[in-house]
Amino acid sequence: MSDVRHVLVLPDRDAAEEAAAALGQRFGTDEEPQLVRDALAGEDDAEDAQWLVVLRDEEDRLDPAELDAFAAQWEGWREEP
């Protein structure tokens, strides 16, 4: 079993919450992904923050290209490890 994690970078909290909710249906994941607010140093404005959806994939069964396309639905992307 590996400790593979996928990180989807999304433009705002609403997009991150929608994507996190849709992940289970789209990819059949059982575990709820973690949502993390990511702001650049010195940026307190929520408008400037990105949101990360962190998804564990211990069995390494999720296709990175499919995750890229999935995140793109919310104008996001999958961060390369």
Side-chain angles (χ1 to χ4, degrees):
M1 198 179 281
S2 67
D3 187 29
V4 173
R5 295 177 195 265
H6 299 283
V7 177
L8 306 181
V9 181
L10 297 161
D12 57 50
R13 183 179 189 151
D14 289 340
E17 288 175 345
E18 288 177 26
L23 274 167
Q25 291 179 346
R26 172 66 176 85
F27 295 99
T29 57
D30 295 331
E31 184 177 328
E32 188 171 329
Q34 180 182 11
L35 298 180
V36 179
R37 181 177 179 267
D38 182 37
L40 297 174
E43 291 184 359
D44 293 328
D45 187 357
E47 297 287 322
D48 295 329
Q50 295 176 327
W51 283 79
L52 309 179
V53 177
V54 181
L55 178 65
R56 287 188 356 190
D57 185 17
E58 294 174 349
E59 297 174 7
D60 199 22
R61 65 179 186 83
L62 300 175
D63 180 11
E66 288 185 34
L67 287 170
D68 282 331
F70 179 80
Q73 295 175 29
W74 289 274
E75 298 180 12
W77 64 91
R78 184 185 57 85
E79 193 72 20
E80 289 292 331

